[in-house]
Amino acid sequence: MASDTGGRRPVPLSAPHLAGNEWRYVRECLDSTYVSSVGAFVGRFEEMVAARCGVRHAVATTSGTAALHVALLVAGVEPGDEVLVSDLTFIAPANAVCYLGAVPVFIDAEPEHLQMDPAKLAEFLRGECGWRDGVLRNRRSGRRVRAIVPVHILGQTVAMGPVLELARAFGLAVVEDAAEALGARWRDRAAGALGDIGCFSFNGNKVITTGGGGMIVTGRADWAARARYLTTQAKDDPHEYIHREIGFNYRLSNVLAALGCAQLELLDGFIENKRAIAARYLAAFPPDGPIRSLPEAAEVRGNGWLHTVWVDPARAGFDSRGLLRHLRANGIESRPLWQPMHLAPAHAGRQACCGEVAEQAYRHCLSLPSSVDLTPATQDAVIAAIRSCPPGTAA
Ligand SMILES: *Cc1c(COP(=O)(O)O)cnc(C)c1O
């Protein structure tokens, strides 16, 4: 990091905070010698996440991406099907659709909170799809449309009311990507537990971490059983090595689950801290300013994962990438949003329902340091550094 921080440590975007029973549980795990995928912590972690989300079943996986892959499979997505995915997202859910030989169609974000826009979803389903022999098909491609993947980005959630209504009306499965939204709530329900099946990630930069890991949650016993079967190589006999299907080695290890149990015990405190950080940024950069905080939606209580601002270059005198470079020079990490999926070379040629909002957000937004242990003094320094960004710092 840059040297002009006066000897201070760089301010990370969102650093893991290992402040509870992590050492104790990992030691317990090592002492037991059950370090692999058989062991008490995996089951315990699954139960804790299920309880936290208010769902019956949870299946731990090696990553959030693996969780998405298996959740889509369990939800009935087949090769050649189409799946409607948020355009403004980390690439994992779009890739997971492709792992199945299915095809993502990208749905633009709404301009206020940058989540999947239910109006665009409705526009696509009503305007571009039709029923043929009881099967919903995209008229342009002729492919069957099978599922929606609303991605709850930045610790907030998609406006699920209309999404769930559309899913019901069009007979689509809802596979939530709640990788960034553990602990976030929509109305009185947990992100991940709003659709048919939900996925979490415990990667290093998420709200809680196991170093790497994921989880599938669902209220459906048959889907949970199938997810468990598929994530453990689809083994059909407890003793013999007999397999009816092609499964995956996606089971989380007990060591990592031990970390997860300890981290989950801390989640409420993490969210409290992160929400306080978000509130201070919101006060400094209100939603009508040249650098404006993304507001929280009325029905949502976010987890504060990454506080994000929209930089208006005409009013601020600098743009988001100029600000990013200025902060970096001051030892402060910040992060742009993801290139929208319809622009990603990896997904070139895919159909998208608009994408203008996602493009604007990609261009103008920046996520600010939101670590659980960010002190008010350090946050004040971050805010001062943003305010001191010289005009004309444009990309
Ligand atoms: C992190 C993330 C994932 C992938 O999780 P991994 O555990 O890194 O595989 C998927 N979707 C979103 C929105 C994410 O932010």
Side-chain angles (χ1 to χ4, degrees):
M1 279 285 168
S3 55
D4 56 350
T5 54
R8 278 178 287 121
R9 275 171 48 227
V11 182
L13 187 74
S14 184
H17 193 63
L18 307 165
N21 286 316
E22 287 85 356
W23 276 109
R24 209 181 108 208
Y25 293 169
V26 169
R27 175 172 294 279
E28 249 177 67
C29 181
L30 298 188
D31 288 344
S32 78
T33 76
Y34 284 99
V35 294
S36 189
S37 58
V38 178
F41 283 108
V42 178
R44 195 159 125 197
F45 188 34
E46 289 174 338
E47 278 169 30
M48 285 174 77
V49 171
R52 172 81 206 195
C53 296
V55 292
R56 260 179 217 280
H57 310 283
V59 178
T61 60
T62 46
S63 72
T65 308
L68 284 161
H69 182 184
V70 168
L72 287 161
L73 199 53
V74 165
V77 175
E78 291 178 3
D81 283 348
E82 286 186 354
V83 178
L84 312 180
V85 181
S86 300
D87 189 33
L88 186 62
T89 175
F90 180 56
I91 199 168
N95 289 355
V97 169
C98 297
Y99 297 167
L100 297 176
V103 180
V105 172
F106 301 117
I107 307 293
D108 200 2
E110 37 79 18
E112 209 180 349
H113 314 101
L114 307 185
Q115 308 290 335
M116 176 189 269
D117 188 343
K120 299 274 169 60
L121 185 64
E123 198 179 301
F124 176 79
L125 288 168
R126 298 210 176 99
E128 307 252 350
C129 300
W131 296 92
R132 212 165 64 214
D133 304 326
V135 175
L136 184 73
R137 290 188 188 275
N138 178 343
R139 279 201 215 92
R140 200 185 301 186
S141 67
R143 294 192 192 101
R144 179 172 83 146
V145 182
R146 188 66 195 92
I148 308 171
V149 182
V151 183
H152 306 306
I153 61 168
L154 302 170
Q156 304 288 320
T157 81
V158 173
M160 288 301 284
V163 172
L164 294 173
E165 261 171 49
L166 287 164
R168 209 172 304 122
F170 288 91
L172 302 171
V174 176
V175 179
E176 286 175 82
D177 182 342
E180 301 172 8
L182 181 70
R185 301 190 80 79
W186 174 79
R187 297 186 183 163
D188 59 346
R189 292 159 62 196
L194 306 171
D196 297 297
I197 191 165
C199 300
F200 294 108
S201 163
F202 310 113
N203 191 12
N205 66 3
K206 299 303 196 297
V207 181
I208 67 164
T209 184
T210 59
M215 190 79 75
I216 295 168
V217 293
T218 180
R220 302 168 70 142
D222 52 340
W223 285 22
R226 187 153 166 73
R228 194 172 299 281
Y229 174 72
L230 289 170
T231 53
T232 51
Q233 300 281 30
K235 191 163 171 286
D236 287 302
D237 187 280
H239 308 296
E240 303 285 334
Y241 288 84
I242 294 166
H243 310 263
R244 264 181 298 124
E245 280 187 64
I246 293 173
F248 307 93
N249 178 12
Y250 278 173
R251 189 80 173 142
L252 188 70
S253 82
N254 206 39
V255 182
L256 299 186
L259 270 176
C261 290
Q263 283 273 285
L264 198 58
E265 290 172 354
L266 303 173
L267 179 62
D268 283 324
F270 285 7
I271 293 175
E272 212 176 291
N273 287 11
K274 280 174 166 285
R275 287 185 61 84
I277 290 165
R280 286 196 294 269
Y281 279 131
L282 182 69
F285 305 112
D288 54 358
I291 299 171
R292 55 187 171 85
S293 292
L294 298 183
E296 191 163 68
E299 295 182 316
V300 177
R301 188 177 189 279
N303 66 13
W305 179 51
L306 284 184
H307 188 80
T308 301
V309 291
W310 185 300
V311 182
D312 177 350
R315 291 175 67 196
F318 48 82
D319 68 9
S320 66
R321 300 312 192 269
L323 178 58
L324 182 147
R325 279 199 307 277
H326 169 74
L327 292 176
R328 189 189 292 151
N330 284 275
I332 296 165
E333 275 183 22
S334 63
R335 200 177 95 165
L337 294 182
W338 316 273
Q339 183 182 46
M341 289 302 104
H342 76 276
L343 296 179
H347 292 288
R350 309 259 189 240
Q351 193 175 345
C353 193
C354 313
E356 288 91 1
V357 175
E359 282 179 31
Q360 291 295 312
Y362 169 53
R363 195 136 136 224
H364 295 299
C365 287
L366 207 59
S367 297
L368 302 178
S370 304
S371 296
V372 164
D373 61 357
L374 181 70
T375 63
T378 305
Q379 190 177 0
D380 284 345
V382 171
I383 291 167
I386 294 170
R387 291 193 169 129
S388 75
C389 186
T393 314

